[in-house]
Amino acid sequence: MKKTGKKVLPLTLCAVLVLSGCSGSSNKAASAGGEGKADPDPNKTYDITYTGQWCFSDYEDGSFAERMIEDALNINLTVEKAETVDTIDLLLASGEMPDCMWTESKTPSWMQEQELIRTIPRSMVEKYCPTLIEYYEKNPLIYKMVLNPENEDEFICLAGLTFQFVDYYLPGDFYRYDWIEKLGIDLGVNVEQVSDRLYVADDGIELSKFIEIMDAFVNQDPDGNGKNDTLGAAAPDWGIGQIGQFYSAYGFTRDINEVNGRAEQCYVMDEYREFLKGFQELYARNLLDPEIISNDRTVGWDKVNTGACGYWLTSMNTLNSWAMDRPPLTLLDRDPEAKLLATPGIKPDGGEVMAVVNPTPAYGKFYVNANVDDEKLAKILEFFNYTIFGAGDRDTKVSLFFGEKDVDWKWDEANDAPVKINKLNSGDKGTWSFSQFGQTEDVTRWVGEEELFQSGGKYWSESENGTWLKWQRPPYKADLANETGYEKIFQEISGDLEAYVASYRTQAILGQTDVDATWGDYLAELDRLGYHRMMDELEGLLPLEEMAEKYKQ
C-alpha cells in the first residue's frame, strides 16, 4: 500500500452535495482477488476493522449495536475512532485505513490515486446486496457515480441512501414568532399554525422585509426585558451549506449555477457580489450576530437557546428528535413561551426562493481496503447489507438507529413506526455509527417524520405534495463519474482557492474591503489560482437535469 504524507484539501465552499465520481483502473490488490467467486466460510469468525459516522472519540467500544452485528454475522469488529475529517486524513495518510469505511469527504478518485482501496465486483454486490442494486436501478445516476468507468462490471465504491435529501424540502429557517407577534410585524406572507408553538409561512420572506425584521429584533426590545441585548441573525454553519438560505435572498444557490450557459461556482457571480455588499451593510448596522463569520455552529445555537438571537438557519428535519441537542428543539424545551415560524428561506423582492436538492438519494461512500481479498470482501458485503437493510429484519433496522427494543424503543402498530422510550443522542449505544448511510424510505420516515415535523408536511414533504418543493432544483452541472479533469484540478487548487474565497468573504462582511473596488482583483486572483482552468472542464458535460432525463430513457 502506498503511504503518503500529503495533506487532503478541504471541500470548496460551494461544492456540490452529490457524490463525486471516480476513474482509474483497479489496483493490483483488487485484481488479485479474481472474479469475486469466493464465499465467506460459515465456520470462520472474521476480524473486520471499520470507521464511519459517529465513530468519534467517545464511541463506546463493544456498544450495543456493535455486539448485535457481531453476533448476527459471526465477526469481530474493531471500530477505528475518527473524530473529524482531519482525523480521517491522518488515518489514511499513515496507511492505516481500516478494512472498510464510510466517508463523505474523500472522493473515489483520490482514494484510488493513493492506492488505498480495491474495486468491488458487481456480481458480488448483486449476490450479497441485491436490495442495493434495486435502488441503483431505480436511480441510475448513482451508477455513474460509483461504477468503474473502465470496467462497468465492478464498483469503485458503494453509495448509501437517504431520502431526506430528495423527498423533503430541508433548507429552511426559523424566526422567533412570539417576537414577531409582539412587535406587530406584517410579514407579507400567509402564516398557518400547524402545532402548539410552530407556525409555517407559505412563501419565503422578501429581503427588504427580512431586513426590517432584523432591525426590529435588534432595536425594539422583542423579549420585553427593557434592555437592548437582542441580536438578529445568528451565525450560520458556513461549512455545510446553510448559508444557501442567505444566497437565495440575492437570487442564486450555493452550488454550481448556470450563468449565460456556463457552469459557475456561486462565489464568482455578480449576485454573490451583491450578497457580500448587502451583508456588509447589515453587519455595519449590527443586524447580524457579531460572530457571523464563525465556523462553529454551536456559537449560533447557544445564542438562540439563550434567547439572544431571533433568527437562525437550519434544516427542517431538525424538528425531529435526532436533533435534540440543538434549536429549535432545545429552545422549545428551555423556553415555554417561545413560538417558532418556519419559512422556506429569503427571496429577492419580487422574486422567488431558490433551494438546492440532490439529483439522487445517494448518500456517503463505502470503501474497501486494497488488501482485502474476495473471501473477506464477501463478509464485508454481508456486513454492509446487514447494517444498511437489516437483512430484511425490521427490528434490526430500528435498533441500529434507536437502540434496544423494549428498552429504548417499542413498535407502534397504529402508526407503523417505532416510538422512542428512551431518547438517545446519535451515537449512543453505537446507534447511527454503522447505519447512518442506510436511510431507506422506511428509515427516513422513522427518523425524519416525527409528530412535530409531520405537522407541517403539506409544506415540505413529497408524500403530501409539499408546496415548498417547487423551489428546489439540482446543481446545474456535476462531474458525477469523473469524466473530466475537474476533480484533479480541484484537488490541486481547492486549498488555496477556498482559503482565498473565505478570506475575501470575511473582509467584505466585516467592512474591511470595498467590494465593488476590489471585485475585479478578486476574480483575477481566482483565475490565477486556477478557477477557470477547473471550471472549463465542465463545459462538455450535460446539465444534471438533462443527464437525469437521458438516464430515464
Side-chain angles (χ1 to χ4, degrees):
M1 180 184 299
K2 180 178 179 180
K3 296 186 178 182
T4 174
K6 177 181 176 183
K7 180 173 175 57
V8 183
L9 299 177
L11 299 175
T12 58
L13 172 66
C14 303
V16 286
L17 287 179
V18 296
L19 300 178
S20 299
C22 47
S23 67
S25 60
S26 52
N27 58 43
K28 62 182 181 180
S31 60
E35 299 180 0
K37 295 181 179 179
D39 291 318
D41 183 346
N43 298 314
K44 178 178 177 180
T45 300
Y46 289 81
D47 295 321
I48 295 176
T49 55
Y50 165 85
T51 194
Q53 193 78 348
W54 304 107
C55 295
F56 302 151
S57 60
D58 59 353
Y59 173 83
E60 175 193 353
D61 291 323
S63 68
F64 160 75
E66 181 180 323
R67 287 184 283 107
M68 184 176 71
I69 296 167
E70 289 178 327
D71 292 344
L73 300 178
N74 191 27
I75 59 177
N76 288 324
L77 277 171
T78 299
V79 175
E80 301 285 352
K81 299 177 183 180
E83 186 76 19
T84 64
V85 171
D86 288 339
T87 309
I88 294 174
D89 290 350
L90 294 172
L91 188 71
L92 299 179
S94 67
E96 296 177 358
M97 175 182 166
D99 294 324
C100 54
M101 65 181 292
W102 281 104
T103 182
E104 291 186 278
S105 63
K106 298 294 171 281
T107 65
S109 58
W110 185 88
M111 296 290 280
Q112 272 198 315
E113 288 173 2
Q114 306 306 309
E115 300 182 9
L116 290 167
I117 60 173
R118 62 159 290 164
T119 54
I120 305 169
R122 183 169 181 163
S123 60
M124 293 184 69
V125 180
E126 291 172 345
K127 178 177 181 179
Y128 294 104
C129 311
T131 305
L132 185 71
I133 296 297
E134 292 176 11
Y135 278 106
Y136 287 6
E137 290 292 331
K138 294 176 184 177
N139 301 276
L141 276 182
I142 299 178
Y143 279 132
K144 195 170 184 65
M145 301 175 189
V146 295
L147 280 177
N148 184 352
E150 296 183 4
N151 180 1
E152 294 197 350
D153 289 329
E154 59 187 21
F155 292 94
I156 301 294
C157 62
L158 300 179
L161 301 161
T162 183
F163 288 84
Q164 289 194 48
F165 303 147
V166 293
D167 284 354
Y168 304 100
Y169 185 100
L170 291 187
D173 50 8
F174 286 94
Y175 298 77
R176 285 291 298 266
Y177 193 58
D178 51 319
W179 290 9
I180 290 173
E181 286 184 319
K182 178 180 182 296
L183 297 171
I185 300 172
D186 178 5
L187 298 174
V189 296
N190 297 315
V191 174
E192 178 186 6
Q193 183 176 3
V194 298
S195 188
D196 180 32
R197 292 190 284 158
L198 177 62
Y199 298 73
V200 181
D202 69 344
D203 201 348
I205 304 296
E206 289 193 335
L207 178 58
S208 60
K209 180 62 66 173
F210 170 78
I211 296 172
E212 176 189 333
I213 296 168
M214 294 304 102
D215 186 87
F217 281 2
V218 171
N219 297 309
Q220 295 183 29
D221 189 23
D223 60 358
N225 68 355
K227 300 178 181 179
N228 186 23
D229 59 355
T230 47
L231 303 169
D237 188 329
W238 297 86
I240 65 172
Q242 288 180 347
I243 194 64
Q245 287 97 294
F246 285 150
Y247 291 168
S248 172
Y250 294 85
F252 65 103
T253 69
R254 60 176 168 72
D255 285 305
I256 293 180
N257 292 252
E258 185 269 327
V259 180
N260 298 322
R262 180 179 169 86
E264 299 285 8
Q265 298 281 359
C266 60
Y267 51 76
V268 305
M269 298 172 64
D270 288 342
E271 291 86 348
Y272 181 80
R273 175 176 57 180
E274 295 307 307
F275 155 74
L276 293 176
K277 291 161 57 180
F279 266 58
Q280 185 178 89
E281 179 181 350
L282 293 178
Y283 187 84
R285 291 174 57 185
N286 296 316
L287 303 187
L288 305 176
D289 180 354
E291 296 180 271
I292 190 72
I293 60 172
S294 171
N295 280 323
D296 182 357
R297 59 185 178 176
T298 63
V299 169
W301 293 355
D302 288 344
K303 293 180 181 180
V304 172
N305 289 335
T306 57
C309 271
Y311 170 87
W312 70 101
L313 305 179
T314 184
S315 59
M316 298 314 302
N317 61 351
T318 56
L319 290 168
N320 295 295
S321 63
W322 67 265
M324 58 192 291
D325 63 337
R326 68 197 70 179
L329 297 185
T330 47
L331 174 62
L332 291 173
D333 182 60
R334 294 182 185 187
D335 185 349
E337 302 300 318
K339 298 179 183 179
L340 304 180
L341 173 69
T343 90
I346 315 169
K347 63 181 182 179
D349 289 4
E352 287 192 342
V353 174
M354 297 183 68
V356 177
V357 66
N358 281 14
T360 78
Y363 183 38
K365 296 167 285 261
F366 184 82
Y367 296 109
V368 179
N369 189 294
N371 293 326
V372 168
D373 63 21
D374 278 352
E375 181 184 330
K376 189 169 187 176
L377 172 63
K379 199 65 180 180
I380 287 173
L381 291 176
E382 287 185 354
F383 163 71
F384 175 97
N385 193 67
Y386 183 86
T387 57
I388 300 304
F389 301 112
D393 178 1
R394 182 193 70 191
D395 287 356
T396 297
K397 286 202 295 185
V398 179
S399 295
L400 287 169
F401 285 95
F402 298 141
E404 300 179 64
K405 184 179 181 180
D406 297 326
V407 174
D408 301 309
W409 64 272
K410 63 181 179 180
W411 189 257
D412 181 352
E413 294 290 351
N415 293 310
D416 191 32
V419 174
K420 296 180 181 180
I421 302 171
N422 176 31
K423 293 184 178 181
L424 302 176
N425 290 312
S426 300
D428 289 353
K429 294 189 176 182
T431 55
W432 297 77
S433 301
F434 305 93
S435 55
Q436 168 84 21
F437 298 102
Q439 299 180 37
T440 59
E441 295 97 332
D442 281 345
V443 174
T444 299
R445 178 170 58 87
W446 297 339
V447 305
E449 289 193 19
E450 295 175 355
E451 183 177 0
L452 190 58
F453 181 89
Q454 280 185 319
S455 68
K458 72 177 188 179
Y459 293 98
W460 48 69
S461 177
E462 176 70 30
S463 65
E464 298 186 44
N465 298 312
T467 56
W468 288 4
L469 298 175
K470 61 180 175 288
W471 293 305
Q472 294 188 132
R473 66 195 69 189
Y476 177 55
K477 286 186 178 182
D479 189 0
L480 301 181
N482 202 18
E483 300 172 90
T484 74
Y486 176 88
E487 179 61 32
K488 184 175 181 179
I489 298 172
F490 164 69
Q491 292 292 341
E492 172 192 334
I493 71 173
S494 62
D496 291 339
L497 195 69
E498 183 179 65
Y500 181 66
V501 169
S503 175
Y504 187 82
R505 180 187 69 221
T506 296
Q507 292 177 39
I509 292 176
L510 297 185
Q512 298 171 350
T513 189
D514 183 322
V515 175
D516 281 333
T518 59
W519 186 250
D521 293 338
Y522 166 74
L523 295 179
E525 178 62 12
L526 291 177
D527 188 36
R528 187 191 70 80
L529 291 172
Y531 171 81
H532 287 105
R533 180 164 58 93
M534 176 179 71
M535 298 306 295
D536 286 346
E537 294 292 322
L538 300 182
E539 284 300 286
L541 296 179
L542 288 174
L544 280 179
E545 289 185 333
E546 293 183 27
M547 190 183 297
E549 288 301 317
K550 182 178 179 181
Y551 267 83
K552 291 178 182 178
Q553 297 173 1

